[in-house]
Amino acid sequence: MKKLADFIVNKVNDMANLTSRSPNSLAAAAIFMACDLTGNAHLRTAEEIGRICGAAENTIKQTLKHKQPERDKLIPPDFKIAPGASVVKK
């Protein structure tokens, strides 16, 4: 999960249209997205991740919406999305 979150953050840093958010928001959204994509969304809520990262729950969710159009570019091409992943569906 950490490896996927790192990958997402690095990809976001390469995309000018996604770097307008604060680093804390981007990191929190990447962690939350990685939890969801790996099937571990039940382990941490956006609120818990936000509290640790210094980002509001709503900010995390808005950042995820902002990332949605670039979803396929934010995850490794060979990554298998876990069944039931809900945050970043097409």
Side-chain angles (χ1 to χ4, degrees), residues 65-82:
K65 284 182 186 177
H66 193 69
K67 289 179 178 182
Q68 184 64 25
E70 304 291 343
R71 180 188 75 107
D72 292 337
K73 295 177 186 173
L74 295 175
I75 57 177
D78 60 340
F79 181 78
K80 302 287 186 234
I81 297 173

Side-chain angles (χ1 to χ4, degrees), residues 9 22-34 46 49-56 59-60 63-64 67:
V9 167
S22 78
N24 290 5
S25 298
L26 291 173
I31 293 167
F32 191 67
M33 183 185 283
I49 292 169
R51 194 172 335 129
I52 292 166
C53 293
T59 303
I60 293 170
T63 302
L64 285 172
K67 289 179 178 182

Side-chain angles (χ1 to χ4, degrees), residues 6-89:
D6 285 342
F7 185 90
I8 293 168
V9 167
N10 287 328
K11 284 294 187 176
V12 166
N13 286 332
D14 293 339
M15 299 176 174
N17 63 325
L18 295 178
T19 57
S20 62
R21 303 286 175 155
S22 78
N24 290 5
S25 298
L26 291 173
I31 293 167
F32 191 67
M33 183 185 283
C35 285
D36 182 60
L37 292 172
T38 58
N40 293 304
H42 64 283
L43 297 177
R44 294 286 181 255
T45 65
E47 181 182 8
E48 291 171 320
I49 292 169
R51 194 172 335 129
I52 292 166
C53 293
E57 178 181 7
N58 275 350
T59 303
I60 293 170
K61 291 178 180 178
Q62 288 300 316
T63 302
L64 285 172
K65 284 182 186 177
H66 193 69
K67 289 179 178 182
Q68 184 64 25
E70 304 291 343
R71 180 188 75 107
D72 292 337
K73 295 177 186 173
L74 295 175
I75 57 177
D78 60 340
F79 181 78
K80 302 287 186 234
I81 297 173
S86 62
V87 172
V88 286
K89 287 186 178 177

